[in-house]
Amino acid sequence: DSGVTQTPKHLITATGQRVTLRCSPRSGDLSVYWYQQSLDQGLQFLIQYYNGEERAKGNILERFSAQQFPDLHSELNLSSLELGDSALYFCASSGRQGSSEKLFFGSGTQLSVL
Amino acid sequence: GENVEQHPSTLSVQEGDSAVIKCTYSDSASNYFPWYKQELGKRPQLIIDIRSNVGEKKDQRIAVTLNKTAKHFSLHITETQPEDSAVYFCAASRGSSASKIIFGSGTRLSIRP
């Protein structure tokens, strides 16, 4: 168990809808990262938050947004969903002293857009 | 921009044989090189990492080598076992934040019984 909690594990929705994915980082970690992994694809970095503030942005669509709350949990909001948004979405955390570069991944949320 | 290339994309080896996965990076300022293993349906997990001031690191059956001059690093798995079957991702980063990590495209390793 990595200590990173993601909910829900599975999400099935329709095109045009909006969903929210939730992530709780490891205790002591200040950074939360979101990655998208499409079928048989690599890990596409979406966005990073550090202690409540956006730190870095990757290939995140304008339809997607994220935030990190004072208790350090994070939410990824996906709106106007398209079929191509179906993917496994991972949250990862890091930042504990001495291991800020090591990513600890949650179990992921499998999103299916029908 | 920065890039990490990983080869091969798929690799099949006989159980007990060795497997080697190779990566090259473009950013000469990269100083941290982790490897992640992702079993089918599971999350990626860090299995070994190396920093730029070290040429080689071993942990039981896995080892990583780094050639800074060539900007090349490799993962070596010896005496492969069925549980080694997974997708392996190399990555390179600079600085102290994981946000600068660039992942390779992954290698699907299959171990034949």
Side-chain angles (χ1 to χ4, degrees):
Chain A
D1 184 8
S2 67
V4 179
T5 304
Q6 280 190 255
T7 56
K9 290 194 183 304
H10 303 278
L11 203 46
I12 302 174
T13 188
T15 55
Q17 295 298 304
R18 172 190 170 94
V19 297
T20 297
L21 282 54
R22 183 189 167 101
C23 169
S24 292
R26 289 191 318 158
S27 177
D29 284 353
L30 300 178
S31 282
V32 169
Y33 309 77
W34 287 97
Y35 286 86
Q36 180 192 57
Q37 186 175 42
S38 301
L39 192 62
D40 284 340
Q41 296 294 308
L43 295 160
Q44 298 297 318
F45 170 64
L46 296 178
I47 198 164
Q48 178 207 357
Y49 276 81
Y50 177 82
N51 203 21
E53 299 203 354
E54 182 184 303
R55 175 63 66 91
K57 240 177 180 177
N59 301 319
I60 188 166
L61 300 172
E62 285 191 13
R63 300 182 286 109
F64 297 179
S65 65
Q67 54 185 327
Q68 186 178 27
F69 296 87
D71 66 353
L72 300 178
H73 91 269
S74 177
E75 293 181 355
L76 179 66
N77 301 296
L78 314 176
S79 61
S80 303
L81 286 167
E82 302 176 358
L83 296 176
D85 297 327
S86 295
L88 189 52
Y89 290 84
F90 284 107
C91 163
S93 76
S94 75
R96 196 178 288 181
Q97 189 172 8
S99 64
S100 59
E101 296 155 311
K102 299 179 192 287
L103 288 173
F104 295 86
F105 286 85
S107 298
T109 293
Q110 180 67 59
L111 174 66
S112 299
V113 182
L114 306 178
Chain B
E2 294 89 353
N3 187 43
V4 174
E5 293 192 1
Q6 184 171 347
H7 300 280
S9 57
T10 59
L11 180 60
S12 178
V13 301
Q14 193 75 33
E15 182 178 348
D17 288 350
S18 296
V20 180
I21 302 171
K22 300 181 179 182
C23 291
T24 58
Y25 59 98
S26 60
D27 185 358
S28 55
S30 295
N31 57 10
Y32 176 66
F33 307 90
W35 287 85
Y36 288 81
K37 174 184 179 182
Q38 186 179 23
E39 296 178 22
L40 189 61
K42 302 284 183 64
R43 62 176 171 260
Q45 290 185 280
L46 179 69
I47 56 171
I48 194 168
D49 55 10
I50 192 169
R51 296 191 183 278
S52 57
N53 58 349
V54 175
E56 182 174 359
K57 184 176 179 181
K58 280 184 90 169
D59 183 3
Q60 299 180 17
R61 294 186 298 106
I62 60 174
V64 58
T65 59
L66 171 65
N67 183 329
K68 284 195 303 181
T69 302
K71 290 191 280 189
H72 170 272
F73 58 113
S74 301
L75 178 72
H76 305 252
I77 306 173
T78 59
E79 300 173 16
T80 53
Q81 299 171 6
E83 54 265 35
D84 295 329
S85 293
V87 177
Y88 291 81
F89 292 97
C90 66
S93 78
R94 57 183 169 109
S96 59
S97 170
S99 62
K100 301 192 186 303
I101 280 184
I102 307 294
F103 282 92
S105 53
T107 295
R108 183 175 299 279
L109 175 62
S110 300
I111 307 301
R112 302 192 304 272

